[in-house]
Amino acid sequence: DGSAVVFYDCYGGGTYLQPSDSRYECDTAIPQICNTLALECKTEFLLERRLKDSEFFQELCIRLEHAVKYVKSFSESAIVLLVIDAADNAVFAAKQNGRTCFIDKLLQQHLPQGVRLLLTYRTEHADFFAFPDKAIFFEVPAFNLHETTAHVKSFFPTSDSEVCLEFHHLSRGIPRVQAYVLVSKQDSTHELIDILRPNGKTTEDLLNDILEEISQRYGERNEEISLIFGVLINLPRPIPI
């Protein structure tokens, strides 16, 4: 319908906690959002990064107003959708570094009519944000059976409906659980099911299984393995292995 979507990723492939990554700062986020907007809606690029936070938001709003006019030239019902993905990661990283996240101010900023703001975050981190009263919340549910079936068949195209049904039941439709199992390089769907038996597993269960397997495989080197894991935990993400 002529609408435009501007996407800003706060996860950065796991780099959001690295000292060199400042995607939670206004001088990183706002120019990138503005320049993506320029590509989508023919607005002006923002090249200046030596602005006050208030000036960054002024520049953003000016461009958003022009973007709305652009999309509505195609359809009066068109909107500009600003998507901030993994927003909780940016807020967390800012707190870790004793800084203010641009999202805090973005939620306070009155945006031009015709602009919609969409934040994605983990449900348990809802208290990271001070949402305006008019905010609407949508919980992303687990996969339904149809979606699970499509997921399984993207790896095993000949999977029958009974296998897909059992996989859906044991994984509880949780996409991350399904993904961990499906990429585990099993030879058959029956081996996939066996990973989740007898009562289904959560993401935490699967990770504990991996740790237990490592412990059994390298039993006499458990102290060394624990040290390696301790080092890995403290390395900046993504870990270059």
Side-chain angles (χ1 to χ4, degrees), residues 123-178:
T123 305
E124 62 268 26
H125 291 163
D127 60 351
F128 281 17
F129 309 98
F131 290 108
D133 294 336
K134 62 182 180 180
I136 301 173
F137 300 92
F138 302 92
E139 186 169 349
V140 180
F143 281 171
N144 59 33
L145 177 58
H146 175 74
E147 291 165 332
T148 293
T149 299
H151 199 190
V152 173
K153 289 193 173 185
S154 69
F155 288 83
F156 295 90
T158 60
S159 302
D160 60 47
S161 57
E162 289 185 5
V163 166
C164 293
L165 177 60
E166 187 171 8
F167 186 77
H168 177 71
H169 172 71
L170 292 173
S171 67
R172 300 179 178 90
I174 301 172
R176 182 168 291 181
V177 171
Q178 294 184 2

Side-chain angles (χ1 to χ4, degrees), residues 6 26 29-38 43-44 46 51 53-68 80 82 84 102 105-107 109-112 115 117:
V6 176
C26 282
I30 302 302
Q32 183 173 328
I33 292 170
C34 287
N35 293 338
T36 304
L37 199 63
T43 56
E44 291 187 4
L46 178 60
L51 300 175
D53 287 357
S54 59
E55 293 172 327
F56 275 120
F57 280 98
Q58 289 170 7
E59 295 293 335
L60 174 62
C61 287
I62 290 170
R63 286 160 175 76
L64 286 172
E65 288 176 354
H66 292 164
V68 169
V80 175
L82 177 55
I84 311 297
F102 82 97
K105 297 180 179 180
L106 183 60
L107 288 172
Q109 177 65 48
H110 177 73
L111 299 176
V115 177
L117 175 63

Side-chain angles (χ1 to χ4, degrees), residues 100-227:
T100 299
C101 182
F102 82 97
I103 295 172
D104 297 338
K105 297 180 179 180
L106 183 60
L107 288 172
Q108 298 170 12
Q109 177 65 48
H110 177 73
L111 299 176
Q113 188 172 0
V115 177
R116 300 291 185 274
L117 175 63
L118 173 64
L119 268 62
T120 70
Y121 60 92
R122 285 161 287 189
T123 305
E124 62 268 26
H125 291 163
D127 60 351
F128 281 17
F129 309 98
F131 290 108
D133 294 336
K134 62 182 180 180
I136 301 173
F137 300 92
F138 302 92
E139 186 169 349
V140 180
F143 281 171
N144 59 33
L145 177 58
H146 175 74
E147 291 165 332
T148 293
T149 299
H151 199 190
V152 173
K153 289 193 173 185
S154 69
F155 288 83
F156 295 90
T158 60
S159 302
D160 60 47
S161 57
E162 289 185 5
V163 166
C164 293
L165 177 60
E166 187 171 8
F167 186 77
H168 177 71
H169 172 71
L170 292 173
S171 67
R172 300 179 178 90
I174 301 172
R176 182 168 291 181
V177 171
Q178 294 184 2
Y180 277 138
V181 176
L182 288 168
V183 301
S184 63
K185 298 181 180 179
Q186 304 301 314
D187 294 328
S188 70
T189 53
H190 296 291
E191 291 177 344
L192 291 179
I193 299 296
D194 287 340
I195 294 175
L196 297 171
R197 283 175 174 157
N199 300 314
K201 291 182 179 176
T202 63
T203 305
E204 185 176 354
D205 293 331
L206 291 173
L207 293 175
N208 285 335
D209 286 349
I210 293 171
L211 293 175
E212 180 62 26
E213 180 184 350
I214 292 172
S215 178
Q216 292 180 4
R217 186 182 303 175
Y218 304 102
E220 71 283 0
R221 298 173 56 197
N222 275 341
E223 288 188 11
E224 182 181 346
I225 297 297
S226 296
L227 176 61

Side-chain angles (χ1 to χ4, degrees), residues 63-84:
R63 286 160 175 76
L64 286 172
E65 288 176 354
H66 292 164
V68 169
K69 291 179 182 178
Y70 176 79
V71 298
K72 288 191 178 296
S73 69
F74 297 99
S75 171
E76 190 57 36
S77 62
I79 65 168
V80 175
L81 178 63
L82 177 55
V83 180
I84 311 297

